[in-house]
Amino acid sequence: MAERLDRERIVRRALDLLDEVGLDGLTLRRLAGDLGVQVAALYWHVPSKAALLDEMATTMLRDLIDAAGPEMRDLVGEPWQDCVRVSADRFRAALLGRRDGARVFSGTYVTDERLRGWVELPLSILVDAGFAEGDASRAWSTLLAFVVGFVVEEQGRPDRDDDADVRFAFGVDVVVRGLESRLAADAV
């Protein structure tokens, strides 16, 4: 009996195929062939490649939250800088965990409304530290944009950069120091 085709199966197979062929090699036609169905069958579940990428990014984020959730909750009461650094490290690791993971995530939309709340904990930590809500949101967006951009560059290099961890930590530190400076200036 053929395995039932559903969105979860499509997205999981697309992520596996991504690891095998990369984003440029991932097409709906190839995915359909890999699943043993006609392309039209995929359109019932994902109407376009952009929609598929949204679903793939959402699944990557869901997997990250499932894996890092307890560790993030342990940061409540710790310095906000630790939350920023740990979040950056975990997000980078999740993006690096998939071939072209950062490219998949870049420019996509989270399709699971429950996951939009994944930023509530870090935002509350930043607000508790004294950031205004709008500044906390912008700070978080800036951090995520840095991580995605860094990993896009990192994954785009044919040779592994032995200095990548040092450069990444430096960049995150620049973000943290900038936020510290911003927080201090707002407190005056």
Side-chain angles (χ1 to χ4, degrees):
M1 180 174 190
E3 192 175 348
R4 183 172 175 259
L5 189 64
D6 61 19
R7 185 174 293 197
E8 176 74 14
R9 181 172 169 232
I10 292 168
V11 171
R12 290 289 175 187
R13 185 59 203 138
L15 286 168
D16 291 343
L17 195 56
L18 175 74
D19 288 339
E20 295 170 23
V21 300
L23 186 58
D24 295 332
L26 177 64
T27 65
L28 290 177
R29 182 173 309 284
R30 186 173 199 156
L31 177 60
D34 199 68
L35 289 166
V37 300
Q38 297 294 316
V39 175
L42 292 182
Y43 287 121
W44 179 260
H45 301 282
V46 287
S48 65
K49 186 171 180 181
L52 175 64
L53 294 174
D54 288 345
E55 293 296 332
M56 291 167 67
T58 299
T59 298
M60 290 169 58
L61 183 56
R62 189 179 299 117
D63 292 348
L64 168 64
I65 292 167
D66 289 346
E71 183 179 4
M72 292 303 295
R73 285 187 291 280
D74 289 345
L75 292 172
V76 173
E78 298 298 321
W80 64 266
Q81 296 90 334
D82 292 350
C83 175
V84 170
R85 287 186 174 98
V86 167
S87 297
D89 288 343
R90 293 293 171 244
F91 189 41
R92 177 181 178 223
L95 296 177
L96 287 173
R98 293 282 181 187
R99 180 176 174 183
D100 295 331
R103 286 180 59 207
V104 168
F105 205 90
S106 180
T108 58
Y109 297 96
V110 173
T111 60
D112 184 343
E113 288 296 323
R114 294 169 297 163
L115 294 182
R116 293 187 192 275
W118 79 285
V119 298
E120 289 177 7
L121 179 60
L123 288 181
S124 70
I125 289 172
L126 291 173
V127 168
D128 289 348
F131 288 93
E133 284 186 27
D135 286 345
S137 179
R138 285 183 285 279
W140 193 250
S141 294
T142 299
L143 177 69
L144 297 182
F146 167 73
V147 175
V148 170
F150 187 92
V151 178
V152 164
E153 178 184 317
E154 187 175 17
Q155 289 182 322
R157 296 178 63 124
D159 57 327
R160 290 303 282 164
D161 179 3
D162 292 335
D163 196 36
D165 292 341
V166 172
R167 290 186 311 107
F168 182 76
F170 180 86
V172 171
D173 192 55
V174 167
V175 172
V176 168
R177 301 274 183 220
L179 293 174
E180 287 173 340
S181 176
R182 176 79 184 229
L183 186 60
D186 289 346
V188 174

